[in-house]
Amino acid sequence: MEPTDRKRPTIYDVAREAGVATSTVSRALTNPGRVNARTRDRVVEVAQQLGYRTNPLAQALPSGRTRTVALLVSDVTNPHFFGIIRGAEQQTRAAGCTLILADTEESPDLEAAHIERLSGSVDGFVIAASRMSDQQIGELTDRHRLTLISRQVTGVPSAIVDHEDGTRQIIEHLASLGHRSVVYAAGPRRSWLAAKRWHAIRAVTRKLGLSATRLGPFPPAVRGGAAAADAALGQGATAVIAHNDLLAIGMLRRFTDREVHVPRDISVVGYDDIFGADFCSPPLTTLAGQFDEAGRLAIDLLLGTRDGTRPPQADNQVVLPSHLVVRGSTGRAPS
Amino acid sequence: MEPTDRKRPTIYDVAREAGVATSTVSRALTNPGRVNARTRDRVVEVAQQLGYRTNPLAQALPSGRTRTVALLVSDVTNPHFFGIIRGAEQQTRAAGCTLILADTEESPDLEAAHIERLSGSVDGFVIAASRMSDQQIGELTDRHRLTLISRQVTGVPSAIVDHEDGTRQIIEHLASLGHRSVVYAAGPRRSWLAAKRWHAIRAVTRKLGLSATRLGPFPPAVRGGAAAADAALGQGATAVIAHNDLLAIGMLRRFTDREVHVPRDISVVGYDDIFGADFCSPPLTTLAGQFDEAGRLAIDLLLGTRDGTRPPQADNQVVLPSHLVVRGSTGRAPS
DNA sequence: CTGAAAGCGCTAACAT
DNA sequence: ATGTTAGCGCTTTCAG
């Protein structure tokens, strides 16, 4: 009976106890099949009874594989990212890896800084709603493994929720209620999504013979809603599409304050179907998508662990379906 | 001009280029002051121009310091943790460290599993709203560095928001509105907070001559609200204190469905002042606390980086102030 | 199939 | 103040 060592046992301890070389222990533990079944069993058993735990750092140093991935989000307190975070966390864990979460505070520089800092400690990056330019992202790709969420860049794997078809659903819904024009309360200037959404709105409205106006940009947060609401009112809008639910909720509040009745006087639509969209007043009509699935997919794409059940998309740019959830914030256009 | 090496430069490259030993480079970079100012400058400059980045893994292996901490939360999608997560993330970054986020899904076993898995890759753990028993936590403390949020265990550093004084504020508010009895819609059985809150409610109601009833436990989520609301109604309650805002919001919705008018027929109070508490219908009266500060403090306590401006508390058990935010969900007791 | 030995990039005594 | 020299715990050729 040896004295109970305070430190964790290493492969040396296991090797000695099992009467084999450390290399055999290493193989038995990480590469079974390349070692005799009997020896492997012995090693595993000894490791087990010694309470051996592999040291992830020591493992990562020679191999270069850290079994860790980083998820960068532009704002951890934005409920929009919940689904993404949870999905990514689950899938990372399922792959036996660890997730590092970093908040980039809507700043492309902070994004780059985080990547710089973490490179070397992680196997790859998932960037949600990146604020970097296509070029910056392109340069990063040949230096690091990375996948994108809610952003598409040629040659970079990504998972997004279908904004084009979704926008069509929104516009058709408004048109069916008799609205002849829509106003878009835009998100940040650097936001790829904001540009895409506006683009889609223009395309669909044109096709259906509606008119579209863009206002903003506004901060994609509840506090951005007041200015957006006022601007929309100033335009005499009958229907406004907010860049996201946060902004939409902020607008709802402002309308209430100004005694503008939604949806009697004006209809409001958001994007994302975040936590709260169903219990704000009135409940928000919004475009829902499976963001948790996007989080999972992004990890799969990064780790190369996608199961075969899904057909591989061209260029690994996955587009997830979206659907409009109609609630109380949209109604017939005022006559 | 050397060929542009594809791999990152190491201290060996820097040492060679600067004409010093690797140990000097190491010191110059991590322990300036223990090296001649001139040599240090040279080393730093060479490192800079070579684009040298220290490899965190290699640094962690011999030193044992990973400069990484893990934050365990019971549910990443619960807005209650936003502030905590953001605060912890900020403070971790400020200390030059990295934060790992793990979701424990309300399970004490998953908590333990995460700790087991991450031990060795992190310098310590911050556990928010731990579901583990005092004993389990106690055992962990002599194996790992750890601090607690929203939980107190003797001998373990922690940061909590004052629930006792907060509960007093809640009860006095209700009493001032003429309520003579309160119902507590309890959280999970394993929740330390749920026990504490009920304890505080009993103490304060007794002192003020009100009566108190406990219902539940209910899942601390919006979906738990229906059952809680029905139970409260069954008790003929005039005022109900929900375990947290999620549950309170769920109750609000159920009351609306059942055409029970809040606050005319029944008053509702929550805890935490989460995202959404101000725009649900009616807006929720709730106990607010600085959870981002709790997150920051927990990291400080863990890393030993607390600035001296705050007086050290006994046993490092910090209690943050709380205050009641009165909104539309509370009103005079029905007569 | 297994063992010996050389690192991975950095730190930390111990010398000088 | 700086250089020398062992490691940290694990992986991975390369032999056998």
Side-chain angles (χ1 to χ4, degrees):
Chain A
M1 192 65 73
E2 302 183 319
T4 334
D5 245 331
R6 204 74 201 99
K7 18 181 358 228
R8 317 165 32 136
T10 72
I11 51 170
Y12 286 91
D13 301 315
V14 178
R16 179 165 19 79
E17 207 71 12
V20 297
T22 59
S23 48
T24 303
V25 176
S26 176
R27 290 192 200 98
L29 263 27
T30 66
N31 231 332
R34 301 205 0 164
V35 73
N36 185 309
R38 291 252 293 285
T39 4
R40 168 164 44 75
D41 290 347
R42 264 270 298 313
V43 170
V44 170
E45 194 195 313
V46 170
Q48 155 82 33
Q49 87 181 38
L50 248 47
Y52 168 80
R53 320 260 58 182
T54 157
N55 178 331
L57 271 61
Q59 180 163 7
L61 191 48
S63 71
R65 301 203 50 234
T66 61
R67 304 191 66 75
T68 298
V69 306
L71 171 64
L72 273 47
V73 299
S74 49
D75 177 7
V76 271
T77 65
N78 182 339
H80 164 54
F81 293 110
F82 287 12
I84 291 176
I85 294 175
R86 160 154 282 200
E89 209 266 348
Q90 287 174 340
Q91 203 64 19
T92 307
R93 179 142 39 98
C97 297
T98 296
L99 185 74
I100 285 178
L101 182 73
D103 189 337
T104 63
E105 298 171 16
E106 312 270 357
S107 152
D109 295 337
L110 237 187
E111 266 181 58
H114 268 126
I115 292 174
E116 175 65 27
R117 180 177 61 87
L118 292 172
S119 94
S121 334
V122 302
D123 290 339
F125 298 88
V126 173
I127 315 184
S130 177
R131 294 289 187 264
M132 289 188 287
S133 68
D134 281 19
Q135 198 197 340
Q136 282 179 286
I137 293 177
E139 285 167 8
L140 283 172
T141 6
D142 39 53
R143 206 186 305 288
H144 310 283
R145 273 194 81 66
L146 81 91
T147 71
L148 270 19
I149 293 178
S150 297
R151 173 72 178 264
Q152 287 181 321
V153 174
T154 310
V156 186
S158 60
I160 68 168
V161 164
D162 194 330
H163 49 85
E164 295 192 350
D165 184 65
T167 301
R168 180 191 57 72
Q169 295 178 51
I170 292 173
I171 306 287
E172 288 185 353
H173 168 62
L174 292 173
S176 75
L177 290 169
H179 294 273
R180 303 306 303 153
S181 67
V182 303
V183 159
Y184 174 54
R189 215 179 296 272
R190 313 201 68 124
S191 167
W192 179 85
L193 262 187
K196 284 296 177 186
R197 284 174 179 168
W198 170 236
H199 188 264
I201 289 169
R202 292 199 61 176
V204 180
T205 49
R206 194 168 301 155
K207 200 163 83 183
L208 298 183
L210 308 203
S211 72
T213 315
R214 173 167 59 172
L215 266 27
F218 303 102
V222 174
R223 69 186 148 75
D230 292 348
L233 255 21
Q235 285 283 323
T238 71
V240 45
I241 304 175
H243 171 70
N244 67 13
D245 286 351
L246 250 22
L247 187 59
I249 287 170
M251 296 183 74
L252 252 24
R253 302 190 62 177
R254 179 63 168 186
F255 287 138
T256 301
D257 291 349
R258 290 188 54 178
E259 295 179 7
V260 172
H261 191 276
V262 175
R264 191 194 60 201
D265 304 326
I266 190 168
S267 287
V268 178
V269 183
Y271 281 91
D272 298 347
D273 193 24
I274 64 172
F275 172 84
D278 56 336
F279 63 72
C280 55
S281 172
L284 190 64
T285 294
T286 180
L287 189 73
Q290 301 168 28
F291 289 98
D292 50 348
E293 181 63 12
R296 269 183 236 114
L297 268 170
I299 295 292
D300 281 345
L301 254 18
L302 188 76
L303 263 26
T305 49
R306 282 190 74 189
D307 57 14
T309 62
R310 238 180 301 273
Q313 248 94 356
D315 210 13
N316 274 338
Q317 308 221 340
V318 184
V319 178
L320 264 17
S322 56
H323 66 275
L324 187 66
V325 178
V326 177
R327 300 203 182 94
S329 67
T330 45
R332 290 205 59 78
S335 43
Chain B
M1 192 66 74
E2 301 184 319
T4 333
D5 245 331
R6 204 73 202 99
K7 21 183 353 231
R8 314 165 36 134
T10 71
I11 51 171
Y12 286 92
D13 301 315
V14 177
R16 177 163 23 77
E17 207 71 12
V20 297
T22 59
S23 50
T24 304
V25 176
S26 174
R27 285 191 280 258
L29 263 27
T30 65
N31 232 333
R34 302 206 1 165
V35 74
N36 185 310
R38 291 252 292 287
T39 13
R40 168 162 45 77
D41 290 347
R42 265 271 299 313
V43 170
V44 169
E45 194 195 313
V46 170
Q48 155 85 33
Q49 87 181 39
L50 247 46
Y52 168 78
R53 319 260 58 181
T54 157
N55 178 330
L57 272 59
Q59 179 163 6
L61 191 48
S63 69
R65 299 203 51 235
T66 61
R67 305 193 64 75
T68 298
V69 307
L71 171 64
L72 272 46
V73 299
S74 48
D75 177 7
V76 272
T77 66
N78 182 339
H80 164 54
F81 292 111
F82 287 11
I84 291 175
I85 294 175
R86 160 152 282 199
E89 209 267 346
Q90 287 175 341
Q91 202 64 20
T92 306
R93 180 142 38 98
C97 297
T98 296
L99 185 73
I100 285 178
L101 182 73
D103 190 336
T104 63
E105 296 172 17
E106 313 271 358
S107 150
D109 295 336
L110 238 187
E111 267 181 59
H114 268 128
I115 292 175
E116 175 65 26
R117 181 177 60 89
L118 291 173
S119 92
S121 334
V122 302
D123 290 338
F125 298 88
V126 172
I127 313 182
S130 177
R131 292 288 186 267
M132 289 188 287
S133 67
D134 281 19
Q135 197 196 340
Q136 282 180 288
I137 293 177
E139 285 167 7
L140 283 173
T141 7
D142 40 52
R143 205 185 306 286
H144 311 284
R145 273 194 80 67
L146 82 91
T147 70
L148 270 18
I149 293 177
S150 298
R151 173 72 179 263
Q152 287 181 321
V153 173
T154 310
V156 185
S158 60
I160 68 168
V161 164
D162 194 330
H163 49 85
E164 295 193 350
D165 183 65
T167 300
R168 181 192 56 73
Q169 294 177 52
I170 292 173
I171 305 287
E172 287 185 354
H173 168 62
L174 291 173
S176 75
L177 289 170
H179 294 273
R180 304 305 304 151
S181 67
V182 303
V183 159
Y184 174 55
R189 215 179 297 272
R190 312 200 67 124
S191 167
W192 180 84
L193 262 188
K196 284 296 177 185
R197 284 174 179 167
W198 169 237
H199 188 265
I201 288 170
R202 291 200 61 175
V204 181
T205 49
R206 194 168 303 155
K207 200 162 81 185
L208 298 184
L210 307 203
S211 73
T213 315
R214 173 166 61 171
L215 266 27
F218 303 102
V222 173
R223 70 187 147 76
D230 291 347
L233 254 21
Q235 286 283 324
T238 71
V240 45
I241 304 175
H243 171 69
N244 68 12
D245 286 352
L246 249 23
L247 187 60
I249 288 171
M251 297 182 74
L252 252 24
R253 301 191 62 178
R254 179 64 170 186
F255 287 138
T256 301
D257 290 349
R258 291 188 55 177
E259 294 178 8
V260 172
H261 192 278
V262 175
R264 191 195 59 201
D265 303 327
I266 190 168
S267 287
V268 178
V269 184
Y271 280 91
D272 299 346
D273 193 23
I274 64 171
F275 171 84
D278 57 337
F279 63 73
C280 56
S281 173
L284 190 64
T285 294
T286 180
L287 189 73
Q290 302 168 26
F291 289 99
D292 50 348
E293 180 65 11
R296 272 183 234 112
L297 268 171
I299 295 292
D300 281 346
L301 254 19
L302 188 74
L303 263 27
T305 49
R306 284 191 72 187
D307 56 14
T309 62
R310 236 181 301 273
Q313 248 94 356
D315 209 13
N316 275 337
Q317 308 221 340
V318 184
V319 177
L320 264 18
S322 57
H323 65 276
L324 187 66
V325 177
V326 176
R327 300 203 182 94
S329 68
T330 45
R332 290 206 58 77
S335 42

